């Protein structure tokens, strides 16, 4: 029993021996800061005029017509669209091979919560989704339709946004 108390005391003493005071020392000179760094040599900078931009505008012309959203009109959806269940859509999807879409069953407005990561364009505003017949409607956070996709094969969906951008979902 005595040995146990002696060992405990030795452990406490050794652990306290490694401690040091970490508080600020107010007696030191506060105005003395680190010495300033010396300047490094910089190569000379060349100046000149840039050539004028080519073409009349730096932006491409806007499209004159937009392609219809699949399913917006009867018969506009692909004839080979397969049946979809809401449960089969839940999870992570790869969009156009470049970004991710996440679909949950959590209610958000008239649909279910969904979102994207790393996407560009309209899909950055995606907030919800719902299954309507043989297509999946993608909506923004206000409930406006951004686009739709339909099932073309197991774990594969095709469609487009309301501005005609092609959408391909896969896992």
């Amino acid at each position: 029993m005595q040995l146990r108390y002696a060992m405990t005391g030795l452990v406490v003493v050794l652990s306290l021996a490694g401690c040091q005071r970490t508080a600020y020392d107010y007696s030191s000179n506060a105005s003395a800061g680190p010495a300033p760094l010396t300047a490094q040599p910089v190569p000379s900078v060349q100046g000149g005029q840039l050539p004028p931009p080519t073409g009349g505008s730096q932006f491409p012309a806007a499209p004159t017509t937009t392609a219809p959203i699949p399913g917006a009109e009867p018969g506009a959806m692909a004839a080979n669209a397969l049946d979809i269940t809401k449960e089969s859509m839940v999870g992570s999807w790869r969009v156009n091979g470049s970004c991710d879409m996440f679909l949950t069953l959590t209610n958000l407005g008239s649909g279910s919560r969904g979102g994207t990561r790393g996407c560009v364009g309209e899909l950055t505003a995606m907030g919800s989704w719902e299954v309507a017949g043989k297509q999946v409607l993608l909506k923004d956070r206000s409930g406006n339709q951004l686009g739709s996709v339909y099932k073309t094969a197991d774990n594969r969906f095709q469609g487009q946004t309301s501005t005609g951008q092609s959408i391909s979902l896969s896992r």
Side-chain angles (χ1 to χ4, degrees):
M1 188 88 139
Q2 294 288 337
L3 181 62
R4 188 166 123 190
Y5 291 125
M7 290 302 287
T8 303
L10 182 61
V11 168
V12 169
V13 169
L14 287 175
S15 64
L16 290 177
C19 295
Q20 64 179 351
R21 185 172 177 198
T22 58
Y24 179 73
D25 184 10
Y26 293 101
S27 64
S28 69
N29 187 359
S31 63
L37 298 173
T38 58
Q40 296 294 315
V42 177
S44 63
V45 177
Q46 297 179 10
Q49 191 67 18
L50 292 175
T54 59
S57 173
Q58 54 181 311
F59 299 106
T64 55
T65 60
T66 59
I69 298 174
E73 302 174 29
M77 187 172 37
N80 60 347
L82 303 172
D83 290 331
I84 306 169
T85 63
K86 196 168 187 174
E87 292 76 18
S88 68
M89 293 299 300
V90 174
S92 175
W93 292 88
R94 193 76 177 150
V95 181
N96 297 338
S98 63
C99 64
D100 297 311
M101 180 182 291
F102 305 97
L103 306 177
T104 70
L105 289 177
T106 307
N107 289 336
L108 181 67
S110 64
S112 296
R113 187 175 303 274
T116 60
R117 178 180 59 200
C119 293
V120 295
E122 291 176 277
L123 292 179
T124 58
M126 185 187 158
S128 67
W129 65 282
E130 66 181 83
V131 173
K134 291 188 173 190
Q135 64 182 338
V136 178
L137 304 177
L138 308 174
K139 299 181 176 186
D140 65 12
R141 291 168 187 89
S142 301
N144 302 317
Q145 186 172 335
L146 295 174
S148 65
V149 293
Y150 54 91
K151 188 172 184 176
T152 57
D154 284 343
N155 296 322
R156 184 107 176 122
F157 289 78
Q158 297 290 329
Q160 62 187 24
T161 65
S162 57
T163 60
Q165 177 187 0
S166 178
I167 304 173
S168 173
L169 302 180
S170 61
R171 329 189 192 215

